[in-house]
Amino acid sequence: MYSSNEIIETINMISQQHLDVRTITLGISLFDCITDSKQRTCDKIYDKIMSKASNLVKTGNDISSELGIPIVNKRISVTPVSLISAASKGHLEIIRTLDKIADETGIDFLGGYSALVHKAMTPYEREFLLSIPEALSTTNKICSSINVATSKAGINMDAVALMGKIVKDCAYLTKDKDSIACAKLVVFANAVEDNPFMAGAFLGSGEDDTVVNVGVSGPGVVKTALEKCDGDLTEVAECIKQTAFKITRVGQLVAKEASKRLDASCGIVDLSLAPTPVIGDSVAHILEEIGLESVGAHGTTACLAMLNDAVKKGGIMACSNVGGLSGAFIPVSEDAGMIKAAKIGALSFDKLEAMTAVCSVGLDMIAIPGDTTADVISGIIADEIAIGVVNTKTTAVRVIPVYGKKAGDTAEFGGLLGTAPIMNISKYSPSKFISRGGRIPAPLHSNKN
């Protein structure tokens, strides 16, 4: 039960502090859709998803209206398509089917045009990866994620090298739209199977047939709470923890209701602080409220580490099934404070990389010069993936080489994807390192069996 004070407090969070449920993501298993026929596989996929998700948008809107809680996105995630299409080699036909489903259901995004190649690639998986630029440049709502490493397997550098080229191809094919296809592509280490956030969402093989995963967000709520906290850093951490507890309870309420109405398992609540370009809804502003003149200043990584830890602790106490990524996101183009810090030079690419060692994900929604080579992009991926592998955490890379633009220019993506200042990066080449290929072995601490 919720007390009257808790209800009033929640209303204030929603009306004044930008609290929202960022997404209801319905995960749908496609394993029972596998056939050796391209057409039959597509037909089964269409029939299954439409039977499970045709009311997803309406359900989300109904819950939002009844509870008074904004639900920003309604999304679908599916089993990695590379696993479903291997028997029929029908990945391009499947992407057209998924695009049709996304349009007909009215969802915001559909994730799962994905492959798991963390140790090696089969010939078909290589073919699948090479189809990503076409898939993302000819659709609007389809998202792709590729897992190229785990702490157990090490880093598949052949896949890392290939992904640098694929990112460049995605950028070129959508060069007239500020290379936006790259915003729908994530390269992972230690990808999680219950992530509700795009572009990295897919439904893992260990999940139920249909499952609701909810992502809740509230950077503005945390910042407002900290404005009233004058104590030391121990008290600051406690304030964040208590606020995360309250935010997560809202997400759990929505998750239970959505799973009941959609006749799906209630999965996880991801309590990541996912920012938006709206003023007052920024992770960067939280860090500045803690005491930084600007995000990017020395001390930023320590502040972010404390924030991430406190968010996780508060969320775990509020919900028995916390999952996904859970913590603090630092997507540059989607965070008003990050955008400002990058524009004034307070936040550098290298500082962002250091911050990813302690945040929820990694180098996210960062625009880089359009003439950046594929080898340099692969080097960026390799560096970030190494952080994840060595630290046994999920890390990811979503960089956008914006064709025709250079450091200091700006890319416009619109909506939640926001505005990205083109950031300066090192142009020194890692090409010999990347061209060696092979696999970087797993770290010693991975041998725990």
Side-chain angles (χ1 to χ4, degrees):
M1 294 293 293
Y2 293 84
S3 69
S4 57
N5 286 338
E6 287 177 311
I7 293 170
I8 292 170
E9 186 177 40
T10 302
I11 290 171
N12 289 334
M13 289 179 181
I14 293 166
S15 63
Q16 301 173 26
Q17 301 160 25
H18 304 288
L19 174 63
D20 59 54
V21 170
R22 187 56 46 86
T23 178
I24 294 175
T25 301
L26 180 63
I28 303 174
S29 173
L30 300 183
F31 281 123
D32 55 355
C33 299
I34 297 172
T35 77
D36 60 0
S37 162
K38 296 178 184 180
Q39 189 58 53
R40 278 190 292 124
T41 299
C42 289
D43 289 345
K44 288 169 73 72
I45 288 172
Y46 178 85
D47 291 343
K48 180 166 188 181
I49 296 179
M50 291 303 293
S51 70
K52 302 291 185 181
S54 59
N55 290 323
L56 174 58
V57 172
K58 181 180 184 302
T59 298
N61 290 339
D62 288 348
I63 294 172
S64 179
S65 177
E66 292 168 23
L67 298 181
I69 299 170
I71 299 174
V72 180
N73 279 283
K74 297 87 183 175
R75 301 164 174 170
I76 295 171
S77 65
V78 298
T79 311
V81 170
S82 65
L83 303 179
I84 306 307
S85 59
S88 66
K89 307 296 189 292
H91 45 284
L92 289 176
E93 288 77 9
I94 290 175
I95 198 66
R96 287 190 281 272
T97 299
L98 294 176
D99 192 38
K100 179 182 178 183
I101 290 168
D103 284 340
E104 291 186 6
T105 56
I107 60 169
D108 297 283
F109 290 106
L110 192 154
Y113 198 75
S114 306
L116 311 177
V117 293
H118 41 273
K119 197 169 186 180
M121 288 182 286
T122 65
Y124 172 69
E125 284 170 325
R126 183 180 179 86
E127 180 184 342
F128 178 88
L129 263 60
L130 290 171
S131 75
I132 290 173
E134 179 180 350
L136 298 186
S137 63
T138 58
T139 61
N140 294 318
K141 298 181 178 181
I142 306 301
C143 295
S144 178
S145 55
I146 308 299
N147 196 56
V148 299
T150 66
S151 295
K152 270 290 191 182
I155 305 173
N156 181 354
M157 287 300 295
D158 293 324
V160 169
L162 185 58
M163 289 311 300
K165 297 174 183 176
I166 289 169
V167 169
K168 282 288 288 185
D169 288 345
C170 287
Y172 178 76
L173 290 175
T174 51
K175 63 182 185 295
D176 58 333
K177 299 178 181 178
D178 277 347
S179 301
I180 196 170
C182 299
K184 300 186 291 175
L185 174 61
V186 182
V187 185
F188 274 118
N190 296 317
V192 297
E193 299 188 343
D194 56 5
N195 171 21
F197 287 105
M198 299 295 171
F202 64 86
L203 187 71
S205 59
E207 298 290 321
D208 206 343
D209 192 53
T210 55
V211 58
V212 169
N213 295 319
V214 166
V216 65
S217 181
V221 179
V222 175
K223 181 181 182 297
T224 299
L226 288 176
E227 289 172 356
K228 304 170 186 176
C229 179
D230 295 324
D232 63 14
L233 291 175
T234 303
E235 294 176 52
V236 168
E238 184 64 23
C239 177
I240 296 169
K241 186 173 71 174
Q242 291 176 5
T243 307
F245 177 90
K246 297 171 186 177
I247 293 170
T248 307
R249 290 186 71 183
V250 173
Q252 186 177 33
L253 176 65
V254 171
K256 287 182 176 180
E257 191 61 32
S259 62
K260 181 173 65 177
R261 298 190 189 192
L262 292 167
D263 192 26
S265 297
C266 186
I268 58 90
V269 176
D270 184 318
L271 52 111
S272 295
L273 298 180
T276 73
V278 175
I279 300 298
D281 199 24
S282 164
V283 170
H285 291 160
I286 295 174
L287 302 179
E288 290 164 1
E289 187 63 40
I290 293 172
L292 302 174
E293 181 180 3
S294 171
V295 66
H298 294 297
T300 298
T301 306
C303 284
L304 182 59
M306 179 180 65
L307 172 64
N308 217 50
D309 178 67
V311 166
K312 289 177 186 287
K313 287 174 178 173
I316 287 170
M317 292 299 293
C319 177
S320 57
N321 290 309
V322 169
L325 298 165
S326 290
F329 286 178
I330 52 171
V332 174
S333 78
E334 299 174 16
D335 186 309
M338 297 287 180
I339 293 169
K340 178 183 176 183
K343 284 183 175 179
I344 66 175
L347 181 63
S348 68
F349 188 93
D350 291 340
K351 187 60 177 179
L352 278 165
E353 184 178 289
M355 292 163 66
T356 64
V358 298
C359 77
S360 283
V361 194
L363 296 169
D364 195 19
M365 286 302 293
I366 300 174
I368 59 177
D371 61 357
T372 304
T373 66
D375 285 339
V376 169
I377 294 171
S378 293
I380 291 170
I381 293 171
D383 284 344
E384 185 60 31
I385 296 308
I387 290 173
V389 167
V390 171
N391 290 288
T392 320
K393 70 184 291 290
T394 302
T395 53
V397 175
R398 186 163 49 148
V399 295
I400 306 162
V402 183
Y403 261 79
K405 294 192 174 180
K406 61 185 185 301
D409 293 340
T410 299
E412 299 285 347
F413 304 121
L416 287 176
L417 297 178
T419 300
I422 313 297
M423 301 191 73
N424 192 37
I425 61 171
S426 173
K427 296 294 181 67
Y428 289 96
S429 175
S431 60
K432 183 176 180 180
F433 165 61
I434 299 300
S435 67
R436 286 180 181 271
R439 181 157 54 97
I440 295 179
L444 180 62
H445 62 66
S446 68
N447 294 300
K448 295 180 179 179
N449 287 344

